[in-house]
Amino acid sequence: MVDQITMPPRAAYSVILTNDFMVILRDHGEIVSVREDADAVLEHLSCTIPGGLKRQRVYVEEVPGGDGFYELKHQYGNLDVVDQCSSHQGGHLMQLVSSEVEDGHG
């Protein structure tokens, strides 16, 4: 069995911490299904992000470069449900990503 702490569930993603309460996990095309990969993603983030995922929301790009996102709802890193974000919310998340990248934090 692969150790999730030393080896991420996939290699082609980046994490953006937009503030103390949100994580945006950017998909670069390696996820086959967000729903199938969500548990492994949350487990890896729980072990690698300072402070863990206790109060943070996690969003994953539906399509690389697009404005669609899924929200991985969880309790302390344990997945509850995967919800597709509305187009309005997805657009707002893309603005956050863009501002983080422009500010040099992404």
Side-chain angles (χ1 to χ4, degrees):
M1 184 167 169
V2 176
D3 185 346
Q4 294 286 350
I5 297 172
T6 58
M7 180 173 290
R10 59 200 173 98
Y13 69 81
S14 61
V15 177
I16 298 173
L17 300 171
T18 59
N19 56 45
D20 290 340
F21 304 96
M22 183 184 299
V23 174
I24 295 179
L25 186 77
R26 299 205 69 189
D27 179 9
H28 295 283
E30 295 296 318
I31 283 186
V32 175
S33 169
V34 173
R35 296 177 191 280
E36 291 175 8
D37 209 19
D39 275 317
V41 168
L42 288 175
E43 181 179 352
H44 178 67
L45 291 176
S46 295
C47 295
T48 56
I49 289 180
L53 288 167
K54 293 178 182 178
R55 293 166 49 190
Q56 294 169 320
R57 292 171 291 178
V58 178
Y59 298 96
V60 183
E61 276 184 323
E62 182 178 17
V63 178
D67 60 359
F69 280 83
Y70 286 97
E71 180 177 1
L72 310 185
K73 295 184 178 179
H74 65 93
Q75 290 291 324
Y76 305 104
N78 298 315
L79 183 67
D80 286 334
V81 68
V82 179
D83 279 344
Q84 190 162 18
C85 297
S86 66
S87 57
H88 176 75
Q89 186 179 17
H92 176 65
L93 293 169
M94 281 306 300
Q95 288 181 344
L96 290 174
V97 170
S98 298
S99 65
E100 285 291 308
V101 171
E102 289 169 6
D103 291 342
H105 299 302

